[in-house]
Amino acid sequence: MKTLIIGSGPAGYTAAIYASRSGLEPVLYEGNLPGGQLTQTTEVDNFPGYPEGTTGNELMEDLRAQAERLGADIRMGVVTKVNFSLDGTSPHHVTVDDGTELDTDTIIISTGASAKYLGLDDEKKYAGMGVSACATCDGFFYRKKTVAVVGGGDTACEEAQYLATLCKKVYMIVRRDVLRASEAMQRKVRETDNIEILWNTQVRGLYGTDGVEGAHLSTGQDLAIDGLFLAIGHHPNSDIFRPAIECDAEGYIKVKHPTTETNIPGVFACGDVADPIYRQAISAAGSGCHAAMDAHRYLMNKG
Ligand SMILES: Cc1cc2nc3c(=O)[nH]c(=O)nc-3n(C[C@H](O)[C@H](O)[C@H](O)COP(=O)(O)OP(=O)(O)OC[C@H]3O[C@@H](n4cnc5c(N)ncnc54)[C@H](O)[C@@H]3O)c2cc1C
């Protein structure tokens, strides 16, 4: 096999589209979340090409259909193990959860990253109905409304500031009595009039009839909000590739920018699993294109 793609989010399907068109005859394993993270949301308003917006499911079905039409072999299954050929002289050996074993000259890793949640039942109950883990994605739907951001690190401060430009009021719910964010970031938060920090506070639950109307707090108070944004980190799905594949301290796969090359010849990484910064569908799709082109170039150079 020339190219194996692991993951079926925007990065994986876009890699499949490009790899199919350049004759790499890719096989793609979907994993246990076919279509990736966008299938967990309702409206998607910021993916180019949909003037009226679309839904996460529709967008991912379109990408899948396009990859299939061009010849990608899309299979159900989770990759459980990879024995990498560290010098690129022999194929990489891959195991799938149904027992399939296969050899491939190149691998495109597009396994995404999972947002961390608090673990409350109410987060699932109100998913897409007031609970979000991405201010850039969903902030627009809360213009002139009141929201809360959970977390005290740089990401939480950045998300709070972004939301403060759109929303009437932003609460930051911080577990401790300090922010973990950089001093510069903390200063910006303090200087933003419509951000209020609730120290030593945790969310215990949510309430609302057709969506979030408020949060029950550990202080005993009920806080009226229209949306709750989690900003307590992400977990890149890179565990099965480590330690052979080099990752940063948080587990994001390191690539040789501006390419998608990893430290192992013939292995490329794209999308959220290699992106601690942007984590958007369009940037994932863009890097999926790069990964397929990098894989093609690698095989051409190898002859
Ligand atoms: C609720 C929510 C709403 C969002 N809204 C927006 C939005 O409006 N606009 C926007 O641009 N972005 C949005 N995002 C972010 C966007 O979804 C991600 O940036 C994007 O999906 C990342 O794409 P990806 O292909 O890197 O990975 P993912 O979409 O995370 O897909 C990863 C894929 O890898 C597969 N996989 C994982 N491990 C294995 C394995 N071992 N074997 C095989 N397959 C595996 C999974 O099954 C999955 O198919 C949202 C995210 C969430 C969670």
Side-chain angles (χ1 to χ4, degrees):
M1 179 190 303
K2 291 183 213 164
T3 299
L4 174 74
I5 300 170
I6 309 175
S8 58
Y13 283 152
T14 305
I17 290 168
Y18 275 77
S20 300
R21 296 188 80 243
S22 59
L24 297 184
E25 297 162 4
V27 169
L28 180 151
Y29 274 94
E30 292 183 314
N32 50 21
L33 188 60
Q37 291 173 64
L38 278 187
T39 60
Q40 297 178 317
T41 191
T42 47
E43 289 164 82
V44 177
D45 227 9
N46 55 6
F47 199 90
Y50 291 90
E52 302 304 324
T54 181
T55 65
N57 281 318
E58 191 184 326
L59 173 53
M60 296 317 300
E61 277 164 22
D62 283 352
L63 282 175
R64 187 187 201 281
Q66 191 173 354
E68 264 194 323
R69 176 179 66 81
L70 293 165
D73 178 352
I74 299 175
R75 300 181 185 174
M76 279 164 53
V78 176
V79 170
T80 53
K81 193 173 169 205
V82 184
N83 282 329
F84 291 106
S85 162
L86 297 182
D87 58 6
T89 51
S90 52
H92 308 286
H93 187 75
V94 176
T95 309
V96 186
D97 63 347
D98 62 3
T100 305
E101 306 266 331
L102 39 90
D103 288 330
T104 177
D105 293 329
T106 60
I107 297 180
I108 294 176
I109 301 174
S110 51
T111 45
S114 314
K116 290 183 188 162
Y117 287 83
L118 297 169
L120 304 171
D121 287 342
D122 284 345
E123 286 169 320
K124 291 188 197 115
K125 181 175 168 189
Y126 293 102
M129 294 167 61
V131 174
S132 171
C134 177
T136 313
C137 311
D138 296 327
F140 185 75
F141 302 119
Y142 295 88
R143 277 165 301 161
K144 300 197 170 35
K145 295 190 175 175
T146 298
V147 299
V149 175
V150 179
D154 280 315
T155 306
C157 290
E158 208 171 293
E159 304 254 289
Q161 281 169 62
Y162 175 77
L163 289 166
T165 63
L166 300 168
C167 303
K168 187 170 67 184
K169 173 94 183 178
V170 179
Y171 293 100
M172 283 188 75
I173 300 178
V174 181
R175 198 169 42 153
R176 298 192 293 162
D177 57 0
V178 285
L179 292 172
R180 280 179 295 106
S182 65
E183 187 48 48
M185 205 60 111
Q186 294 191 35
R187 195 176 55 247
K188 280 191 199 161
V189 165
R190 281 197 300 269
E191 288 169 358
T192 307
D193 288 341
N194 58 341
I195 299 180
E196 179 179 340
I197 302 181
L198 305 179
W199 302 106
N200 296 309
T201 305
Q202 294 181 53
V203 176
R204 292 281 188 243
L206 298 166
Y207 60 89
T209 314
D210 294 321
V212 169
E213 291 171 19
H216 303 300
L217 304 180
S218 55
T219 53
Q221 192 195 355
D222 279 350
L223 183 70
I225 50 172
D226 303 295
L228 183 79
F229 286 82
L230 283 313
I232 52 176
H234 283 77
H235 179 79
N237 301 318
S238 61
D239 294 357
I240 59 164
F241 310 113
R242 287 188 278 171
I245 291 279
E246 275 178 21
C247 296
D248 70 10
E250 290 176 84
Y252 288 96
I253 296 177
K254 288 187 185 174
V255 293
K256 296 173 192 161
H257 287 293
T259 75
T260 59
E261 291 170 20
T262 67
N263 59 306
I264 299 181
V267 181
F268 307 89
C270 53
D272 283 13
V273 73
D275 176 8
I277 301 174
Y278 302 106
R279 289 192 297 254
Q280 291 294 291
I282 187 62
S283 43
S287 70
C289 150
H290 296 172
M293 292 176 74
D294 288 342
H296 185 253
R297 189 174 304 111
Y298 171 84
L299 290 172
M300 295 257 289
N301 289 342
K302 251 185 124 185

